[in-house]
Amino acid sequence: QMIHLLLWIHNSHTLSLLLVSIMGKPVGLQGVQVTVCSQLGAPSNRGVFQDGDVIIGGLFISFHIMKSYPVTLPFTGCLIHYDFFSSCGLSLDLQALKYMYAMAFAVEEINQNSALLPGIKLGYHILDSCGRYPWALQSALSLVGGDRHSCNLTPVPLLIGGHASTTGVILSRILGPLSVPVISYLASCPCLSDRSNFPNFFRTIPSDIYQARTMAQLAIRLNWTWIGAVLANNDYGQKAIQVFQEEIKGKRVCLEFIETVHRETIVSDARRVALTIQSSTATVILIFCWYTDVQKIFVELAKRNVTGRQFLASEAWSTSDDLLQDITISKVASGVLGVAIRSSTIPGFENYLKKLSPSHHPDDEFLREFSEKEFRCSIVNASHNTSTSSHVKKASIPPCSGTESINEVQHFFSDITQLRVVYNVYLAVYAAAHALHSLLSCPSGKIPPQNNISSCSSPKHIRTVELLRHLNTVNLTTPQGEVFYFQGGDPRAKYDLVNWQNTPKGTLKLVVVGHVDGFDLHLNESAIQWSTGSNQVPDSVCSKSCRPGTRMADRKGEPVCCFDCIPCAEGKISNKTDSLQCEQCPSEFWSNAERIACIPRQLDFLSFNETLGITLTTAAVSGVSVTTAVFVVFLFYRQTPMVRANNSELSFLLLLSLKLCFLCSLVFIGHPSVWSCRFQQAAFGISFVLCVSCLLVKTIVVLAVFRSARPGAETLMKWFGPGQQRGSVCFFTCIQVIICVIWLSLSPPRPQSDFGFQGSKVTLECTMESVVGFSLVLGYIGLLACTCLLLAFLARKLPDNFNEAKLITFSMLIFCAVWVSFVPAYISSPGKYVVAVEVFAILASSYGLLLCIFAPKCFIILLRPEKNTKKHLMAR
């Protein structure tokens, strides 16, 4: 009914509305003239036909190169001519001829295969679309409705054609209501993947979405983060760049510029694009254009001597022989890396082409025309009606002998090294044959339930709706061993990755350097000849990669591909290139100098081997030595008044306690252990309490002596005899011993690693588990020291010529000053310096006591012996 409807439309207004629905835009009808009815199919009715039980249709791009824009739209069996169009060109397009013979070869190969369509001969009817959408529609309707002009009234149930996406849209929409499947070999528009709008459309070329994804994968893999883009100002270019941008999103790949070119203004656009590329900092340029547009751009770049740019080519121009053979642009185009329609081999196809001869195919007008042009002879075929003018034109050309063969010459037509679109045509024929095989074979007399088909079709009565369902589920293995199937009308995405390399002749050659299968990209980088001429992948970045040990910091107001490299802070690392953040090392580790790895922290403590430890040890040993020397002097002069004054036993005990104070400082130096942590605090507290107790008792004795000299106070000294003095020192010391025992029993200090101080070293120190215990020890020492200072201060002006209370006053002032300043220094010191501060306070206070009390006495004993008399000491 649809065919009958189309064949009877002749009203010009109805035709205009139909063209609007097909082409998507109004078509003016000025100059349109409806002529008398004539046979359907003129003026482009030439084709190739082979009879068979089942005929499949073929519709190919113009076999003749177009010189203008002709169209003849048949809708009634009458001819409707648009006067602003002219006729087809006269120069043969050999590439299109190869597509046609690929279909013919595949049909012949299938007919020889007894396992595929057994007992059924497959035929074909191939027409020339003349490269224009209206004629493609006319030819398609002729094939589907039966071409009365060629006496072939058998309608085809399936059409292989659609050289362009627009043609595919038109054919699918017009033939969709008839459920006639259309298998395209070259229409790659993503829009045709929409099964709701194009349920009858299939193709053997992947959607353009996949080539855009592949080019994005190449950019990411090769670390090209700063790219320029040139694209055609149409759906092809716009959709491709949209998919490319979606794929690189979040991968820190940026586009420096996007330039568009128009077919109508390509000359000026090419100049503008060339200037943009010349001034760009991006060295990788992505181009989604037709090869003629690319040629214009390359010519402009060659004029400006712009070389060293790495171009990424889409499949629209990546295999263009016109560009490869153009010497004028070879320097600019050298090293192009592109995505191409995958190539494959077709065994036997080369011999098939070379054996083609007009004598064996007398009805093949295309082959006859090709042979006449190639061998420069004329072929007169009695069955072919030629005009008088044609005979006159051929009179000057010698006739062909009939033995001419393509096999005798090396010709592009028989070259099968790059079978790309040809192989797509070959696959389309096999897909159609397998769908017909599934439809017509009906194993066990039944069809799988999911197909929802009640009965099998016969070769003479094929229902297109049933064929369409079988085509949706086709799954075949080609003679080459390739598994092929449709995924919603689309094939699995397969591409070749090609590289343009220099030849000795100055031209360029195409070299396959990788392939894409689905989402798997395989690239042989070592086989690529880059645009720079080196084997190294060229850089194309806004900012150079941040080495390990640094992180990327985005520049304000610039794309994410432009950034600065900031070194990681101490304690943080980055062990890979272009790190967004530096990672914090665990508490037991620290960053190395390069900030690329976490290394275990070194244990840090105040050791005897370091300078500070050696200094403090020397000071402590020196203090012990000086104290021992004083002890020896006092022992030697023990009978002199200076030594015997104010209880010589306390003096010797004081010297012994000072020696213990110097020695206890050594316990703080070295590797902390459980016992050293306990012993050092106990030794420190008890030694200093013993020392201060001796001074306190000495001060009390001085006061008691002078108080007893007053009338009525003679009995005061009975309470401060030698026994009481020794007992007082022991009592004061025992209190500190009790405090230390309780503290160390309940919550003793223990060695612990301090990770709080940020550095490459971890401090091993004795931590105070009980601050109260340590405070009681220090507090008790402070209490005795303050009491001693107060009493010594009161006794400083007693009338003796040598008053020891003055010496005790000065020594206790130094002692208190040292330990008062110790507290803030102890709290604020980091790591091992806490220990150093405490050792320094011990040594400073010990030296203060030793020098203030015993230095004057030793001076008199050794240097002023005349003053070492009782008379001198008691003088007022």
Side-chain angles (χ1 to χ4, degrees), residues 141-172:
L141 292 176
S142 298
L143 292 171
V144 173
D147 192 347
R148 290 173 289 170
H149 181 73
S150 62
C151 298
N152 174 35
L153 300 179
T154 303
V156 299
L158 178 144
L159 186 63
I160 295 175
H163 68 279
S165 296
T166 304
T167 306
V169 171
I170 294 173
L171 296 180
S172 181

PDB file of all heavy atoms in Angstrom, residues 141-172:
ATOM      1  N   LEU A 141      13.350   3.059  -3.888  1.00  0.00           N
ATOM      2  CA  LEU A 141      11.946   2.739  -4.166  1.00  0.00           C
ATOM      3  C   LEU A 141      11.823   1.841  -5.388  1.00  0.00           C
ATOM      4  O   LEU A 141      10.954   0.962  -5.456  1.00  0.00           O
ATOM      5  CB  LEU A 141      11.154   4.023  -4.367  1.00  0.00           C
ATOM      6  CG  LEU A 141      10.982   4.902  -3.110  1.00  0.00           C
ATOM      7  CD1 LEU A 141      10.260   6.194  -3.460  1.00  0.00           C
ATOM      8  CD2 LEU A 141      10.228   4.147  -2.027  1.00  0.00           C
ATOM      9  N   SER A 142      12.730   2.040  -6.364  1.00  0.00           N
ATOM     10  CA  SER A 142      12.714   1.181  -7.548  1.00  0.00           C
ATOM     11  C   SER A 142      13.039  -0.262  -7.181  1.00  0.00           C
ATOM     12  O   SER A 142      12.424  -1.209  -7.681  1.00  0.00           O
ATOM     13  CB  SER A 142      13.731   1.688  -8.576  1.00  0.00           C
ATOM     14  OG  SER A 142      13.386   2.994  -8.997  1.00  0.00           O
ATOM     15  N   LEU A 143      14.020  -0.418  -6.273  1.00  0.00           N
ATOM     16  CA  LEU A 143      14.415  -1.755  -5.870  1.00  0.00           C
ATOM     17  C   LEU A 143      13.348  -2.427  -5.021  1.00  0.00           C
ATOM     18  O   LEU A 143      13.030  -3.614  -5.202  1.00  0.00           O
ATOM     19  CB  LEU A 143      15.742  -1.701  -5.094  1.00  0.00           C
ATOM     20  CG  LEU A 143      16.984  -1.301  -5.900  1.00  0.00           C
ATOM     21  CD1 LEU A 143      18.159  -1.074  -4.962  1.00  0.00           C
ATOM     22  CD2 LEU A 143      17.319  -2.379  -6.915  1.00  0.00           C
ATOM     23  N   VAL A 144      12.778  -1.680  -4.105  1.00  0.00           N
ATOM     24  CA  VAL A 144      11.790  -2.266  -3.191  1.00  0.00           C
ATOM     25  C   VAL A 144      10.470  -2.535  -3.903  1.00  0.00           C
ATOM     26  O   VAL A 144       9.795  -3.539  -3.638  1.00  0.00           O
ATOM     27  CB  VAL A 144      11.578  -1.332  -1.975  1.00  0.00           C
ATOM     28  CG1 VAL A 144      10.440  -1.828  -1.111  1.00  0.00           C
ATOM     29  CG2 VAL A 144      12.858  -1.238  -1.163  1.00  0.00           C
ATOM     30  N   GLY A 145      10.110  -1.668  -4.875  1.00  0.00           N
ATOM     31  CA  GLY A 145       8.834  -1.832  -5.568  1.00  0.00           C
ATOM     32  C   GLY A 145       8.925  -2.640  -6.843  1.00  0.00           C
ATOM     33  O   GLY A 145       7.907  -2.979  -7.442  1.00  0.00           O
ATOM     34  N   GLY A 146      10.160  -2.948  -7.300  1.00  0.00           N
ATOM     35  CA  GLY A 146      10.309  -3.670  -8.562  1.00  0.00           C
ATOM     36  C   GLY A 146      10.592  -2.688  -9.676  1.00  0.00           C
ATOM     37  O   GLY A 146       9.810  -1.769  -9.932  1.00  0.00           O
ATOM     38  N   ASP A 147      11.709  -2.842 -10.348  1.00  0.00           N
ATOM     39  CA  ASP A 147      12.140  -1.892 -11.373  1.00  0.00           C
ATOM     40  C   ASP A 147      11.590  -2.326 -12.728  1.00  0.00           C
ATOM     41  O   ASP A 147      12.117  -3.219 -13.378  1.00  0.00           O
ATOM     42  CB  ASP A 147      13.667  -1.841 -11.408  1.00  0.00           C
ATOM     43  CG  ASP A 147      14.162  -0.668 -12.247  1.00  0.00           C
ATOM     44  OD1 ASP A 147      13.342  -0.088 -12.966  1.00  0.00           O
ATOM     45  OD2 ASP A 147      15.365  -0.347 -12.133  1.00  0.00           O
ATOM     46  N   ARG A 148      10.516  -1.649 -13.125  1.00  0.00           N
ATOM     47  CA  ARG A 148       9.886  -2.020 -14.400  1.00  0.00           C
ATOM     48  C   ARG A 148      10.748  -1.631 -15.597  1.00  0.00           C
ATOM     49  O   ARG A 148      10.666  -2.221 -16.655  1.00  0.00           O
ATOM     50  CB  ARG A 148       8.524  -1.334 -14.514  1.00  0.00           C
ATOM     51  CG  ARG A 148       7.494  -1.890 -13.557  1.00  0.00           C
ATOM     52  CD  ARG A 148       6.220  -1.068 -13.586  1.00  0.00           C
ATOM     53  NE  ARG A 148       6.451   0.227 -12.947  1.00  0.00           N
ATOM     54  CZ  ARG A 148       5.579   1.224 -12.999  1.00  0.00           C
ATOM     55  NH1 ARG A 148       4.453   1.094 -13.680  1.00  0.00           N
ATOM     56  NH2 ARG A 148       5.842   2.360 -12.385  1.00  0.00           N
ATOM     57  N   HIS A 149      11.593  -0.641 -15.422  1.00  0.00           N
ATOM     58  CA  HIS A 149      12.413  -0.191 -16.547  1.00  0.00           C
ATOM     59  C   HIS A 149      13.415  -1.269 -16.963  1.00  0.00           C
ATOM     60  O   HIS A 149      13.737  -1.418 -18.134  1.00  0.00           O
ATOM     61  CB  HIS A 149      13.153   1.097 -16.158  1.00  0.00           C
ATOM     62  CG  HIS A 149      13.996   1.652 -17.270  1.00  0.00           C
ATOM     63  ND1 HIS A 149      13.443   2.271 -18.377  1.00  0.00           N
ATOM     64  CD2 HIS A 149      15.353   1.695 -17.433  1.00  0.00           C
ATOM     65  CE1 HIS A 149      14.416   2.668 -19.177  1.00  0.00           C
ATOM     66  NE2 HIS A 149      15.594   2.325 -18.626  1.00  0.00           N
ATOM     67  N   SER A 150      13.947  -2.000 -15.995  1.00  0.00           N
ATOM     68  CA  SER A 150      14.906  -3.061 -16.319  1.00  0.00           C
ATOM     69  C   SER A 150      14.233  -4.421 -16.382  1.00  0.00           C
ATOM     70  O   SER A 150      14.895  -5.447 -16.365  1.00  0.00           O
ATOM     71  CB  SER A 150      16.018  -3.087 -15.260  1.00  0.00           C
ATOM     72  OG  SER A 150      15.455  -3.377 -13.991  1.00  0.00           O
ATOM     73  N   CYS A 151      12.901  -4.422 -16.406  1.00  0.00           N
ATOM     74  CA  CYS A 151      12.123  -5.642 -16.486  1.00  0.00           C
ATOM     75  C   CYS A 151      12.327  -6.545 -15.274  1.00  0.00           C
ATOM     76  O   CYS A 151      12.077  -7.743 -15.341  1.00  0.00           O
ATOM     77  CB  CYS A 151      12.428  -6.422 -17.772  1.00  0.00           C
ATOM     78  SG  CYS A 151      12.009  -5.488 -19.263  1.00  0.00           S
ATOM     79  N   ASN A 152      12.868  -5.976 -14.207  1.00  0.00           N
ATOM     80  CA  ASN A 152      13.009  -6.744 -12.969  1.00  0.00           C
ATOM     81  C   ASN A 152      11.881  -6.335 -12.037  1.00  0.00           C
ATOM     82  O   ASN A 152      11.941  -5.308 -11.372  1.00  0.00           O
ATOM     83  CB  ASN A 152      14.363  -6.465 -12.305  1.00  0.00           C
ATOM     84  CG  ASN A 152      14.449  -7.145 -10.939  1.00  0.00           C
ATOM     85  OD1 ASN A 152      13.916  -8.234 -10.751  1.00  0.00           O
ATOM     86  ND2 ASN A 152      15.102  -6.458 -10.000  1.00  0.00           N
ATOM     87  N   LEU A 153      10.804  -7.140 -12.066  1.00  0.00           N
ATOM     88  CA  LEU A 153       9.625  -6.803 -11.273  1.00  0.00           C
ATOM     89  C   LEU A 153       9.655  -7.442  -9.902  1.00  0.00           C
ATOM     90  O   LEU A 153       8.691  -7.336  -9.155  1.00  0.00           O
ATOM     91  CB  LEU A 153       8.368  -7.247 -12.038  1.00  0.00           C
ATOM     92  CG  LEU A 153       8.191  -6.602 -13.417  1.00  0.00           C
ATOM     93  CD1 LEU A 153       6.929  -7.142 -14.083  1.00  0.00           C
ATOM     94  CD2 LEU A 153       8.143  -5.095 -13.304  1.00  0.00           C
ATOM     95  N   THR A 154      10.773  -8.119  -9.571  1.00  0.00           N
ATOM     96  CA  THR A 154      10.864  -8.767  -8.265  1.00  0.00           C
ATOM     97  C   THR A 154      11.348  -7.757  -7.234  1.00  0.00           C
ATOM     98  O   THR A 154      12.476  -7.254  -7.333  1.00  0.00           O
ATOM     99  CB  THR A 154      11.840  -9.954  -8.312  1.00  0.00           C
ATOM    100  OG1 THR A 154      11.414 -10.864  -9.331  1.00  0.00           O
ATOM    101  CG2 THR A 154      11.882 -10.666  -6.960  1.00  0.00           C
ATOM    102  N   PRO A 155      10.538  -7.396  -6.260  1.00  0.00           N
ATOM    103  CA  PRO A 155      10.998  -6.459  -5.229  1.00  0.00           C
ATOM    104  C   PRO A 155      12.026  -7.130  -4.334  1.00  0.00           C
ATOM    105  O   PRO A 155      11.958  -8.323  -4.055  1.00  0.00           O
ATOM    106  CB  PRO A 155       9.727  -6.117  -4.460  1.00  0.00           C
ATOM    107  CG  PRO A 155       8.816  -7.277  -4.671  1.00  0.00           C
ATOM    108  CD  PRO A 155       9.136  -7.822  -6.033  1.00  0.00           C
ATOM    109  N   VAL A 156      12.989  -6.351  -3.886  1.00  0.00           N
ATOM    110  CA  VAL A 156      14.028  -6.892  -2.988  1.00  0.00           C
ATOM    111  C   VAL A 156      13.536  -6.792  -1.546  1.00  0.00           C
ATOM    112  O   VAL A 156      12.922  -5.797  -1.163  1.00  0.00           O
ATOM    113  CB  VAL A 156      15.368  -6.148  -3.157  1.00  0.00           C
ATOM    114  CG1 VAL A 156      15.884  -6.309  -4.570  1.00  0.00           C
ATOM    115  CG2 VAL A 156      15.239  -4.676  -2.797  1.00  0.00           C
ATOM    116  N   PRO A 157      13.799  -7.805  -0.702  1.00  0.00           N
ATOM    117  CA  PRO A 157      13.348  -7.760   0.689  1.00  0.00           C
ATOM    118  C   PRO A 157      14.339  -7.049   1.602  1.00  0.00           C
ATOM    119  O   PRO A 157      14.051  -6.834   2.789  1.00  0.00           O
ATOM    120  CB  PRO A 157      13.249  -9.238   1.068  1.00  0.00           C
ATOM    121  CG  PRO A 157      14.320  -9.895   0.258  1.00  0.00           C
ATOM    122  CD  PRO A 157      14.399  -9.122  -1.042  1.00  0.00           C
ATOM    123  N   LEU A 158      15.490  -6.706   1.053  1.00  0.00           N
ATOM    124  CA  LEU A 158      16.533  -6.131   1.897  1.00  0.00           C
ATOM    125  C   LEU A 158      17.424  -5.257   1.028  1.00  0.00           C
ATOM    126  O   LEU A 158      17.662  -5.575  -0.133  1.00  0.00           O
ATOM    127  CB  LEU A 158      17.352  -7.250   2.551  1.00  0.00           C
ATOM    128  CG  LEU A 158      18.531  -6.896   3.441  1.00  0.00           C
ATOM    129  CD1 LEU A 158      18.636  -7.883   4.606  1.00  0.00           C
ATOM    130  CD2 LEU A 158      19.835  -6.920   2.642  1.00  0.00           C
ATOM    131  N   LEU A 159      17.910  -4.174   1.611  1.00  0.00           N
ATOM    132  CA  LEU A 159      18.696  -3.220   0.847  1.00  0.00           C
ATOM    133  C   LEU A 159      20.044  -2.993   1.543  1.00  0.00           C
ATOM    134  O   LEU A 159      20.102  -2.695   2.737  1.00  0.00           O
ATOM    135  CB  LEU A 159      17.947  -1.889   0.733  1.00  0.00           C
ATOM    136  CG  LEU A 159      18.569  -0.816  -0.167  1.00  0.00           C
ATOM    137  CD1 LEU A 159      18.610  -1.294  -1.605  1.00  0.00           C
ATOM    138  CD2 LEU A 159      17.781   0.478  -0.059  1.00  0.00           C
ATOM    139  N   ILE A 160      21.128  -3.151   0.791  1.00  0.00           N
ATOM    140  CA  ILE A 160      22.462  -2.819   1.291  1.00  0.00           C
ATOM    141  C   ILE A 160      22.857  -1.492   0.655  1.00  0.00           C
ATOM    142  O   ILE A 160      23.025  -1.403  -0.557  1.00  0.00           O
ATOM    143  CB  ILE A 160      23.478  -3.919   0.938  1.00  0.00           C
ATOM    144  CG1 ILE A 160      23.121  -5.215   1.655  1.00  0.00           C
ATOM    145  CG2 ILE A 160      24.895  -3.474   1.305  1.00  0.00           C
ATOM    146  CD1 ILE A 160      23.998  -6.384   1.274  1.00  0.00           C
ATOM    147  N   GLY A 161      22.984  -0.473   1.473  1.00  0.00           N
ATOM    148  CA  GLY A 161      23.282   0.848   0.938  1.00  0.00           C
ATOM    149  C   GLY A 161      23.264   1.898   2.019  1.00  0.00           C
ATOM    150  O   GLY A 161      23.163   1.608   3.211  1.00  0.00           O
ATOM    151  N   GLY A 162      23.363   3.132   1.590  1.00  0.00           N
ATOM    152  CA  GLY A 162      23.450   4.244   2.525  1.00  0.00           C
ATOM    153  C   GLY A 162      24.895   4.632   2.708  1.00  0.00           C
ATOM    154  O   GLY A 162      25.508   4.333   3.726  1.00  0.00           O
ATOM    155  N   HIS A 163      25.436   5.316   1.663  1.00  0.00           N
ATOM    156  CA  HIS A 163      26.849   5.677   1.721  1.00  0.00           C
ATOM    157  C   HIS A 163      27.115   6.811   2.696  1.00  0.00           C
ATOM    158  O   HIS A 163      28.258   7.058   3.073  1.00  0.00           O
ATOM    159  CB  HIS A 163      27.325   6.083   0.323  1.00  0.00           C
ATOM    160  CG  HIS A 163      26.723   7.363  -0.157  1.00  0.00           C
ATOM    161  ND1 HIS A 163      25.459   7.415  -0.697  1.00  0.00           N
ATOM    162  CD2 HIS A 163      27.193   8.638  -0.162  1.00  0.00           C
ATOM    163  CE1 HIS A 163      25.177   8.670  -1.024  1.00  0.00           C
ATOM    164  NE2 HIS A 163      26.199   9.428  -0.708  1.00  0.00           N
ATOM    165  N   ALA A 164      26.069   7.518   3.081  1.00  0.00           N
ATOM    166  CA  ALA A 164      26.209   8.631   4.021  1.00  0.00           C
ATOM    167  C   ALA A 164      25.111   8.521   5.065  1.00  0.00           C
ATOM    168  O   ALA A 164      24.090   7.856   4.868  1.00  0.00           O
ATOM    169  CB  ALA A 164      26.132   9.973   3.289  1.00  0.00           C
ATOM    170  N   SER A 165      25.330   9.195   6.185  1.00  0.00           N
ATOM    171  CA  SER A 165      24.362   9.116   7.274  1.00  0.00           C
ATOM    172  C   SER A 165      23.020   9.723   6.873  1.00  0.00           C
ATOM    173  O   SER A 165      21.959   9.199   7.230  1.00  0.00           O
ATOM    174  CB  SER A 165      24.919   9.835   8.507  1.00  0.00           C
ATOM    175  OG  SER A 165      26.076   9.181   8.986  1.00  0.00           O
ATOM    176  N   THR A 166      23.067  10.808   6.122  1.00  0.00           N
ATOM    177  CA  THR A 166      21.805  11.422   5.682  1.00  0.00           C
ATOM    178  C   THR A 166      21.035  10.469   4.783  1.00  0.00           C
ATOM    179  O   THR A 166      19.810  10.347   4.892  1.00  0.00           O
ATOM    180  CB  THR A 166      22.095  12.736   4.932  1.00  0.00           C
ATOM    181  OG1 THR A 166      22.869  13.588   5.780  1.00  0.00           O
ATOM    182  CG2 THR A 166      20.798  13.433   4.570  1.00  0.00           C
ATOM    183  N   THR A 167      21.744   9.778   3.897  1.00  0.00           N
ATOM    184  CA  THR A 167      21.094   8.775   3.057  1.00  0.00           C
ATOM    185  C   THR A 167      20.492   7.673   3.908  1.00  0.00           C
ATOM    186  O   THR A 167      19.372   7.211   3.655  1.00  0.00           O
ATOM    187  CB  THR A 167      22.113   8.166   2.078  1.00  0.00           C
ATOM    188  OG1 THR A 167      22.748   9.212   1.357  1.00  0.00           O
ATOM    189  CG2 THR A 167      21.429   7.217   1.110  1.00  0.00           C
ATOM    190  N   GLY A 168      21.235   7.250   4.937  1.00  0.00           N
ATOM    191  CA  GLY A 168      20.713   6.223   5.826  1.00  0.00           C
ATOM    192  C   GLY A 168      19.454   6.670   6.546  1.00  0.00           C
ATOM    193  O   GLY A 168      18.512   5.885   6.715  1.00  0.00           O
ATOM    194  N   VAL A 169      19.410   7.922   6.970  1.00  0.00           N
ATOM    195  CA  VAL A 169      18.216   8.444   7.642  1.00  0.00           C
ATOM    196  C   VAL A 169      17.030   8.441   6.695  1.00  0.00           C
ATOM    197  O   VAL A 169      15.920   8.010   7.040  1.00  0.00           O
ATOM    198  CB  VAL A 169      18.494   9.867   8.175  1.00  0.00           C
ATOM    199  CG1 VAL A 169      17.200  10.512   8.670  1.00  0.00           C
ATOM    200  CG2 VAL A 169      19.521   9.824   9.296  1.00  0.00           C
ATOM    201  N   ILE A 170      17.264   8.921   5.466  1.00  0.00           N
ATOM    202  CA  ILE A 170      16.173   8.990   4.489  1.00  0.00           C
ATOM    203  C   ILE A 170      15.633   7.597   4.169  1.00  0.00           C
ATOM    204  O   ILE A 170      14.418   7.348   4.205  1.00  0.00           O
ATOM    205  CB  ILE A 170      16.662   9.692   3.202  1.00  0.00           C
ATOM    206  CG1 ILE A 170      16.990  11.159   3.497  1.00  0.00           C
ATOM    207  CG2 ILE A 170      15.617   9.581   2.104  1.00  0.00           C
ATOM    208  CD1 ILE A 170      17.625  11.879   2.326  1.00  0.00           C
ATOM    209  N   LEU A 171      16.541   6.671   3.859  1.00  0.00           N
ATOM    210  CA  LEU A 171      16.111   5.320   3.491  1.00  0.00           C
ATOM    211  C   LEU A 171      15.395   4.632   4.648  1.00  0.00           C
ATOM    212  O   LEU A 171      14.378   3.956   4.453  1.00  0.00           O
ATOM    213  CB  LEU A 171      17.316   4.492   3.046  1.00  0.00           C
ATOM    214  CG  LEU A 171      18.042   4.966   1.781  1.00  0.00           C
ATOM    215  CD1 LEU A 171      19.207   4.045   1.470  1.00  0.00           C
ATOM    216  CD2 LEU A 171      17.077   5.021   0.600  1.00  0.00           C
ATOM    217  N   SER A 172      15.927   4.800   5.852  1.00  0.00           N
ATOM    218  CA  SER A 172      15.316   4.131   6.999  1.00  0.00           C
ATOM    219  C   SER A 172      13.926   4.670   7.288  1.00  0.00           C
ATOM    220  O   SER A 172      13.001   3.907   7.607  1.00  0.00           O
ATOM    221  CB  SER A 172      16.225   4.284   8.226  1.00  0.00           C
ATOM    222  OG  SER A 172      15.663   3.630   9.339  1.00  0.00           O
TER     223      SER A 172
END
